[in-house]
Amino acid sequence: MNYTLLNSIIVIYVGLIAYLGYLGYKHTNSTKDYLVAGGEINPFIMALSYGAAFISTSAIIGFGGAAGAFGMGLLWLTFFTIFVGIFIAFVFFGKRTRQMGQNLEATTFPDLLGKRYDSNLIRAFSSLIIFVFMPLYAGAVLIGAARFLETGLGISYITALIVFTAIITVYVTTGGLKGVMYADAFQGSIMFLGMAFLIIYTYVQLGGFTNAHVLLTDMVHLVPAKLQAIGHQGWTSMPKFGSALWWVVISTLVLGVGIGTLAQPQLAVKFMTVKSNKSLNRATLIGGIFIFSMTGVAFVVGALSNAYFFKNFGKTALEMVGGNFDKVIPLFIKTCMPEWFAYIFMLTLIAAAISTLSSLFHVMGASIGKDLYESMITKDNRGSQKQSMFLIRTGIVAGILLSLLLGYILPISIIARATAMFFGIAAATFLPMFMLGIYWKGVTRIGAISGMFTGALSSIFWLVFIHKKEAVALGISQAIFGKPFLIETFPWMVVDPIIVALPLSLAVTIAVSFFTGNTAIQPPHLKKCFEGIG
């Protein structure tokens, strides 16, 4: 290991990040600056920040590793992240979210929902869902970073986890969202260049595009028997339609994450950082190109790692890592790439992790330190902006500690699944009232609350008692009912909660709104909500 080169790269990187964090700190003079960057962020910076916060080590390490196991069928997730996560999100959600956020002077996602429905209950419950379940996603991102540092630097996993978390803590508590977004744009640039080199070098090592895919296709007979039994048909093919693996790939990984993107609090708040719809239009193309280069490369390289490992070591990717999906990409980088690139790619992954975690911790801190606190007290009892930022930073530290704990106790091969779990819960809880709230004046407070509780509780129930993977691991169903999971009829035990909970939440929100609303009588605050929107 070339410690001189490694240390030089790290010093330069840390110095630049520290400077960007300082710029954010220097220009943060109010709670609005801290939470939505003053609402005047450049669209290029916003697009890269959105993409960098979206694409983390969970996408590169976790889902790249899942592609190493399941194959290129995960490229459907690339399509969904671009079409839904960028185009639909920016064009159909972003503009209305930005305008309504400005109309209501909202500074966080729960704040926006609470003010839209004039409900402290919605604001408080939304903040609790974020603070309780977002650490699951943050923990998965921490694991991805720590696993790469463990493999690349030869240090223990626990040491890597603690050191990386300490760096994040110092960084994210100082600069506010301005510092976060400045650094995100810089780190997004590093990620783009790193992934471009990764895909090109991978194809060079495998003899070009055609040879690489032919080699991988011809390895179909090497698919492990356990994966064949649940529908695996090779790394260049989709799983057998309707099989257990097909349901995992499509319902959990593709739909769970692809649709769940629309209701991610850390992404929705980005829309409130730009000053015009024109800025969002300019950001859409940049964001789409960035997401394509990140997810597309990660999933293709993850699958092709099988061809590389078999060609050079006579083993598949899962055989090389002892069955732990989360180690596929780190080991591939260590064995396939030149040493200097391994160091650069380490920064790519650190950049991906920092950009996502900074946004996640920022949202967690604001949810517990601002939204929950303010929803429980009167305006007359609220403290100064200085006290508000202190509470937010305290909330950030609490979220970091909870995420660190989960990073320590979560099992192997968990990154992709933990990410999908949070995205699915967020979609079922937030998406119906968020989507309807920015488009339909007729959705009522009671309808939104009913749908919110329905989505959250049905998601949790399905994870605890129906979905086999989580139900068996948790053991609650076994303890209460004497059965590991309640529905043994295929395919229900492998159908992701989002398939059931999201439609149910949407139906309840609409139905209750129709029964409790009166289109002739609109609450006074609705006029302000929809000013400039229609």
Side-chain angles (χ1 to χ4, degrees):
M1 180 176 290
N2 188 335
Y3 286 103
T4 300
L5 176 60
L6 174 61
N7 291 334
S8 298
I9 292 173
I10 291 176
V11 168
I12 294 172
Y13 173 77
V14 172
L16 287 171
I17 290 297
Y19 174 69
L20 292 170
Y22 169 73
L23 285 181
Y25 175 79
K26 185 178 179 180
H27 293 92
T28 296
N29 301 310
S30 67
T31 303
K32 183 178 180 181
D33 285 340
Y34 193 85
L35 294 174
V36 291
E40 297 182 349
I41 285 293
N42 180 279
F44 179 80
I45 292 177
M46 181 271 179
L48 286 182
S49 178
Y50 183 97
F54 187 175
I55 302 301
S56 65
T57 51
S58 66
I60 299 172
I61 300 296
F63 286 85
F70 304 145
M72 292 189 181
L74 262 73
L75 284 172
W76 277 108
L77 179 54
T78 297
F79 169 78
F80 265 77
T81 53
I82 295 172
F83 180 70
V84 177
I86 297 296
F87 178 72
I88 297 295
F90 277 56
V91 175
F92 294 99
F93 282 68
K95 296 176 182 179
R96 287 174 171 262
T97 301
R98 186 200 67 80
Q99 186 63 58
M100 189 172 288
Q102 288 187 353
N103 292 344
L104 300 175
E105 298 181 352
T107 54
T108 67
F109 187 62
D111 189 28
L112 175 67
L113 295 177
K115 288 179 176 177
R116 162 60 181 86
Y117 294 104
D118 194 21
S119 171
N120 275 335
L121 175 60
I122 288 178
R123 187 180 182 189
F125 187 76
S126 298
S127 65
L128 279 176
I129 289 292
I130 290 170
F131 190 77
V132 171
F133 290 101
M134 189 174 277
L136 186 66
Y137 179 27
V141 177
L142 281 174
I143 291 171
R147 286 298 182 196
F148 189 83
L149 293 174
E150 173 194 24
T151 303
L153 299 182
I155 60 179
S156 73
Y157 170 72
I158 300 301
T159 300
L161 187 66
I162 293 174
V163 170
F164 186 73
T165 304
I167 294 172
I168 283 286
T169 303
V170 174
Y171 164 71
V172 76
T173 55
T174 55
L177 195 57
K178 280 189 176 180
V180 167
M181 294 187 76
Y182 292 158
D184 281 353
F186 168 66
Q187 291 170 149
S189 302
I190 294 177
M191 292 162 62
F192 183 86
L193 295 174
M195 298 300 276
F197 182 88
L198 175 61
I199 189 68
I200 293 171
Y201 196 83
T202 297
Y203 279 122
V204 169
Q205 290 294 297
L206 293 172
F209 181 87
T210 301
N211 288 338
H213 286 263
V214 169
L215 178 58
L216 187 61
T217 301
D218 291 342
M219 290 175 59
V220 62
H221 63 286
L222 297 174
V223 174
K226 288 184 178 180
L227 290 179
Q228 290 186 41
I230 60 173
H232 201 307
Q233 300 186 116
W235 288 280
T236 56
S237 301
M238 282 291 293
K240 184 178 180 181
F241 180 79
S243 65
L245 183 58
W246 185 89
W247 279 104
V248 170
V249 171
I250 297 300
S251 73
T252 299
L253 302 182
V254 175
L255 295 181
V257 175
I259 296 176
T261 302
L262 294 174
Q264 289 299 292
Q266 75 280 7
L267 299 181
V269 74
K270 305 285 187 183
F271 298 133
M272 294 187 279
T273 65
V274 295
K275 59 184 177 180
S276 68
N277 288 341
K278 184 178 179 180
S279 295
L280 281 175
N281 290 335
R282 292 168 60 191
T284 303
L285 178 61
I286 300 168
I289 294 172
F290 182 83
I291 296 298
F292 175 78
S293 66
M294 295 297 107
T295 60
V297 169
F299 302 161
V300 169
V301 169
L304 288 176
S305 68
N306 288 281
Y308 174 80
F309 287 133
F310 181 71
K311 178 181 177 182
N312 291 278
F313 303 99
K315 296 180 180 180
T316 64
L318 288 182
E319 289 173 329
M320 290 291 294
V321 297
N324 188 349
F325 300 177
D326 300 339
K327 288 187 174 183
V328 170
I329 296 296
L331 184 61
F332 177 75
I333 298 299
K334 183 177 181 180
T335 56
C336 176
M337 298 291 136
E339 184 179 22
W340 64 266
F341 179 75
Y343 300 149
I344 296 295
F345 196 76
M346 179 181 69
L347 294 187
T348 299
L349 290 179
I350 290 175
I354 288 179
S355 58
T356 299
L357 287 170
S358 59
S359 294
L360 295 180
F361 293 145
H362 187 270
V363 168
M364 279 189 272
S367 294
I368 204 72
K370 178 177 174 62
D371 290 311
L372 184 62
Y373 171 71
E374 289 187 357
S375 65
M376 296 173 65
I377 62 174
T378 64
K379 291 183 178 180
D380 294 336
N381 292 328
R382 293 177 189 175
S384 63
Q385 288 193 350
K386 184 176 181 181
Q387 181 182 0
S388 179
M389 283 194 281
F390 171 77
L391 291 172
I392 294 168
R393 286 175 171 135
T394 302
I396 288 174
V397 173
I400 289 173
L401 292 175
L402 183 55
S403 302
L404 176 62
L405 176 63
L406 289 173
Y408 176 72
I409 66 176
L410 286 173
I412 65 171
S413 301
I414 192 62
I415 296 176
R417 185 172 293 274
T419 301
M421 283 172 61
F422 173 69
F423 275 54
I425 291 172
T429 304
F430 303 134
L431 185 54
M433 65 174 171
F434 176 39
M435 176 179 65
L436 294 173
I438 60 177
Y439 273 96
W440 181 32
K441 295 179 181 180
V443 60
T444 65
R445 179 191 304 148
I446 299 176
I449 291 172
S450 300
M452 176 181 70
F453 279 109
T454 298
L457 295 178
S458 58
S459 290
I460 295 169
F461 177 84
W462 200 269
L463 285 170
V464 173
F465 295 105
I466 308 296
H467 203 240
K468 180 179 178 180
K469 191 74 174 182
E470 288 78 28
V472 171
L474 292 171
I476 297 174
S477 179
Q478 182 69 48
I480 297 175
F481 300 106
K483 300 171 64 175
F485 44 94
L486 297 183
I487 301 179
E488 298 180 0
T489 303
F490 184 83
W492 295 108
M493 76 284 285
V494 291
V495 172
D496 193 78
I498 195 174
I499 301 296
V500 176
L502 179 56
L504 186 60
S505 174
L506 180 61
V508 168
T509 304
I510 294 173
V512 174
S513 293
F514 271 118
F515 280 109
T516 60
N518 186 335
T519 55
I521 302 175
Q522 296 289 352
H525 77 284
L526 276 184
K527 182 178 180 181
K528 184 177 181 180
C529 288
F530 284 89
E531 283 180 2
I533 296 177

